[in-house]
Amino acid sequence: MLATGAAVTTALAQVDREKIYQWINELSSPETRENALLELSKKRESVPDLAPMLWHSCGTIAALLQEIVNIYPSINPPTLTAHQSNRVCNALALLQCVKSAFLAAHIPLFLYPFLHTVSKTRPFEYLRLTSLGVIGALVKTDEQEVINFLLTTEIIPLCLRIMESGSELSKTVATFILQKILLDDTGLAYICQTYERFSHVAMILGKMVLQLSKEPSARLLKHVVRCYLRLSDNSRAREALRQCLPDQLKDTTFAQVLKDDTTTKRWLAQLVKNLQEGQVTDPRGIPLPPQ
């Protein structure tokens, strides 16, 4: 009986696999592509070797890129429909699984026009969020080549703009991407290399803290605090942060939001400690400028 059950499971798996092959083939044809995109994007978590199958099958990556490029005319003027947005997001979901040679082919650059959009409609918001998700999945790998690649592109200003004016979810993913760049030594050095880069990052983080004091989000605040803490690891940034760290991070503004979040509370305490260390004070406890 057990053997029969195993045989049935194997047969079902084979049928499922045949469907995957069929859908991958159907991506090459504009007539059958939409349904294939939908079905494959649903299966991407359950088929562990889907990425190499997509990458090595003839014409598949070109078809996925065609789906992305086809949306460009709907960006400006902003006429993107929910149907168009869903379809291109299915293509982005499949590209997200394909990490091998992804950077060498400069595929993330095809997503940047979507991150440039500012329309607040749901189709555009969904498209921005999915595009950020692809970049977020890349930085999650903690691979040096990912950071090196992103630093040669405009990802930091794009993320900063979304951090300033996007939806809460988009802001959270964009801040996570910035955090991962900062946590890399090369990324931290890049952002702190010039006053202009550092001040732009510090200004946006400061605006976010002010906004969060009015509309709290524990998840978003966690990423903002981690960005500040990492910046304080750089000596020049630390000096500047002593002057420009928002008061809301020094007082009890976020005490209620963080009451159950021990990690962020620890980061915040470490940040304040980092900024206090090495400061010279006069007998009245007033900080003196460094010699």
Side-chain angles (χ1 to χ4, degrees):
M1 188 67 186
L2 280 173
T4 308
V8 169
T9 304
T10 305
L12 285 172
Q14 190 55 41
V15 169
D16 210 34
R17 203 136 187 92
E18 290 302 325
K19 291 298 287 181
I20 298 290
Y21 295 144
Q22 180 190 326
W23 289 325
I24 289 175
N25 281 331
E26 287 176 356
L27 287 174
S28 298
S29 168
E31 290 74 31
T32 54
R33 187 180 298 159
E34 184 170 3
N35 181 62
L37 284 170
L38 179 62
E39 296 298 339
L40 285 168
S41 65
K42 285 185 202 166
K43 298 279 184 187
R44 71 186 194 279
E45 302 292 340
S46 57
V47 183
D49 56 347
L50 181 59
M53 289 161 70
L54 291 169
W55 186 260
H56 295 293
S57 55
C58 185
T60 298
I61 299 301
L64 295 177
L65 290 177
Q66 189 176 39
E67 284 296 306
I68 291 171
V69 174
N70 284 347
I71 294 298
Y72 289 171
S74 303
I75 291 177
N76 192 13
T79 57
L80 189 71
T81 65
H83 175 252
Q84 286 175 306
S85 179
N86 288 337
R87 178 167 170 160
V88 73
C89 285
N90 286 336
L92 291 174
L94 292 182
L95 276 175
Q96 191 170 328
C97 352
V98 185
K99 300 234 173 46
S100 61
F102 195 80
L103 295 179
H106 286 199
I107 288 173
L109 298 181
F110 285 91
L111 313 187
Y112 286 14
F114 303 151
L115 299 180
H116 269 288
T117 61
V118 292
S119 172
K120 303 281 189 188
T121 64
R122 279 179 68 89
F124 275 99
E125 179 55 33
Y126 182 39
L127 184 55
R128 274 192 300 272
L129 193 54
T130 307
S131 302
L132 283 169
V134 175
I135 309 295
L138 280 175
V139 296
K140 232 180 208 172
T141 62
D142 291 321
E143 291 171 6
Q144 185 67 53
E145 64 171 336
V146 171
I147 303 299
N148 291 345
F149 171 81
L150 292 176
L151 291 178
T152 67
T153 73
E154 56 182 330
I155 194 63
I156 293 172
L158 284 172
C159 282
L160 289 172
R161 191 169 71 178
I162 292 167
M163 285 161 62
E164 184 175 13
S165 58
S167 68
E168 185 191 322
L169 203 48
S170 286
K171 282 180 178 181
T172 303
V173 183
T175 311
F176 169 76
I177 293 168
L178 179 70
Q179 173 188 317
K180 294 298 272 185
I181 290 171
L182 280 168
L183 287 172
D184 180 89
D185 288 343
T186 312
L188 178 64
Y190 176 87
I191 286 174
C192 297
Q193 189 176 14
T194 68
Y195 177 74
E196 288 72 21
R197 284 178 198 161
F198 166 80
S199 61
H200 191 192
V201 170
M203 179 188 72
I204 299 299
L205 289 173
K207 284 184 177 180
M208 292 177 80
V209 169
L210 191 61
Q211 189 62 34
L212 283 164
S213 67
K214 298 170 188 169
E215 299 170 31
S217 160
R219 183 172 54 172
L220 181 52
L221 180 61
K222 183 179 194 130
H223 293 306
V224 169
V225 170
R226 190 66 187 92
C227 286
Y228 270 122
L229 177 58
R230 178 56 173 158
L231 283 170
S232 75
D233 288 338
N234 178 279
S235 57
R236 289 201 301 172
R238 193 162 56 243
E239 286 298 329
L241 285 175
R242 284 178 181 142
Q243 314 303 320
C244 68
L245 189 74
D247 290 338
Q248 292 88 343
L249 293 179
K250 303 176 202 169
D251 57 27
T252 57
T253 300
F254 296 111
Q256 193 60 31
V257 184
L258 298 176
K259 70 179 196 308
D260 299 319
D261 189 343
T262 53
T263 303
T264 308
K265 280 195 287 192
R266 190 175 72 248
W267 287 344
L268 198 48
Q270 185 62 50
L271 169 63
V272 172
K273 186 181 174 200
N274 287 357
L275 299 189
Q276 286 170 345
E277 282 176 358
Q279 256 195 326
V280 185
T281 58
D282 74 1
R284 294 165 297 168
I286 300 168
L288 294 173
Q291 298 300 311

